[in-house]
Amino acid sequence: PVYRTKEQVAAEQRAAADKAAEESKGPALSEGGRATLEGLAKEPFGALALLPVSYRDGTTRLMVQLFVPGSAAGTGEGTKLLILARDKDGKDAIRLEEAAALRKTKADFFADRAFPIVPGDYDVAAALVDATGKVLASGRRLVSVSGLPTEFAASPLLVSVNDFPVDAPKPDEPFTFSGRRFVVKGDGRVDATDGLSYAVRLYNPPVDPVTRTITLRRTLKIKPKGQPAIDVPTPPEEPAKVPEQKESGAVVLDIAGGIVESNLGQYFKPGDYEMRLTLTDPPTQKKLELVAPFTVTGTLPAPPAPAAAPAPKKKG
């Protein structure tokens, strides 16, 4: 028999834990892929959206979405999606290098993923490259990831330019709330031709102890910079039933809504705005006030000119 000391066993356990932690970050990036991400501008830029969310069992994921304009997507053949997240010490926390599975959103595209992550502060870089390594779209953002709240709280308010239904979504489907997938421009710039919708994840909302339901009063406003806020109509609130859970955990509820399906420029002029969502529990008067800035850019294309009237026929 081979005997191991207590110190040897502890060292082996630490080595196994370190190996598992390293593998959880994802496979090592290729030399070219890492060089591409490290070569991006150091300051935040680009249409890269980051959304940290928690789950009722206490786990946390970081949702990452890169918006790709149709003019930049190329043919799609041989393209790769590269993602690298580093913690405040500069160590890798997330690594991804894989064939890009771009999804269509109107005239544009996007790619997104959801990654397990521990609470902390991160620097996230992402790029879409073609078969030659040329960068087609890229972005960089800083994000702070918190753990599962213990009080009534919410994720950051998500401002979307498009959303569409998803059949039987998985619990960790990126940017999917209330059965809909949301498309986000992480730089906060919304084109006049885009739509406008929103989503948010709530933690520990008040539950009626008798009916086991959640009823939150929703107030939504759009505030142009330097002008009074505009009230946005919201549908009547219906109680949300809290399902029976075999395992203990926090109550988590997703809320989403649409404002304009497309051609936002018909309703809002170019400029800076804030979306303000207030959620109130009537019995307890507990309240959450969420704010997300966005900027409307561009103008709607001019309508086509009317066809010229036919010339009058000559009388013979």
Side-chain angles (χ1 to χ4, degrees):
V2 177
Y3 296 96
R4 293 176 296 171
T5 66
K6 183 188 299 184
E7 290 75 14
Q8 288 175 319
V9 172
E12 291 174 359
Q13 291 175 340
R14 285 196 300 271
D18 291 343
K19 181 181 179 181
E22 186 65 24
E23 290 176 348
S24 70
K25 300 172 184 178
L29 297 173
S30 67
E31 184 176 338
R34 183 174 288 273
T36 295
L37 293 172
E38 292 181 345
L40 298 178
K42 301 304 180 185
E43 67 277 1
F45 77 95
L48 176 65
L50 306 175
L51 183 67
V53 294
S54 295
Y55 294 76
R56 63 182 309 272
D57 62 358
T59 59
T60 303
R61 283 181 171 81
L62 178 63
M63 297 183 179
V64 181
Q65 186 178 97
L66 182 64
F67 184 87
V68 183
S71 58
T75 63
E77 296 183 5
T79 56
K80 283 186 178 181
L81 178 65
L82 310 173
I83 298 175
L84 175 62
R86 288 173 166 171
D87 63 20
K88 62 182 180 180
D89 296 324
K91 296 180 180 179
D92 291 0
I94 293 171
R95 294 185 295 255
L96 178 76
E97 181 172 354
E98 66 180 22
L102 295 182
R103 300 192 64 167
K104 196 86 164 54
T105 171
K106 297 182 179 179
D108 302 302
F109 299 86
F110 69 95
D112 54 12
R113 300 291 186 274
F115 302 95
I117 200 166
V118 297
D121 297 323
Y122 298 93
D123 176 11
V124 185
L128 178 73
V129 298
D130 66 11
T132 68
K134 177 184 175 182
V135 175
L136 303 175
S138 60
R140 191 184 204 111
R141 288 276 179 273
L142 302 176
V143 64
S144 182
V145 179
S146 302
L148 178 67
T150 57
E151 303 293 335
F152 185 28
S155 72
L157 177 60
L158 190 72
V159 176
S160 167
V161 297
N162 188 28
D163 63 274
F164 50 87
V166 177
D167 294 332
K170 299 177 181 178
D172 59 349
E173 194 97 16
F175 292 89
T176 302
F177 303 91
S178 298
R180 301 187 71 83
R181 189 72 160 261
F182 288 79
V183 183
V184 186
K185 292 181 178 177
D187 55 5
R189 298 172 67 84
V190 181
D191 190 79
T193 59
D194 287 331
L196 189 66
S197 55
Y198 64 92
V200 65
R201 174 160 293 183
L202 304 181
Y203 306 106
N204 307 303
V207 178
D208 185 290
V210 177
T211 63
R212 295 291 298 168
T213 59
I214 301 168
T215 304
L216 297 173
R217 188 171 65 245
R218 191 182 324 188
T219 302
L220 183 64
K221 297 177 183 288
I222 302 293
K223 187 183 184 308
K225 185 176 182 180
Q227 298 181 39
I230 303 166
D231 290 323
V232 178
T234 57
E237 303 295 344
E238 296 185 0
K241 185 71 175 177
V242 178
E244 294 292 337
Q245 303 288 347
K246 295 182 179 179
E247 300 177 358
S248 61
V251 177
V252 176
L253 176 68
D254 291 340
I255 285 181
I259 301 174
V260 177
E261 186 173 345
S262 61
N263 292 336
L264 182 67
Q266 290 181 348
Y267 308 94
F268 299 100
K269 296 179 180 179
D272 296 329
Y273 296 82
E274 286 183 343
M275 183 183 294
R276 298 180 173 182
L277 177 64
T278 302
L279 298 166
T280 306
D281 177 54
T284 64
Q285 286 302 297
K286 289 185 176 181
K287 181 183 297 186
L288 290 179
E289 295 181 339
L290 310 172
V291 179
F294 65 96
T295 301
V296 178
T297 64
T299 57
L300 293 175
K313 293 182 179 180
K314 294 183 180 180
K315 294 182 179 180

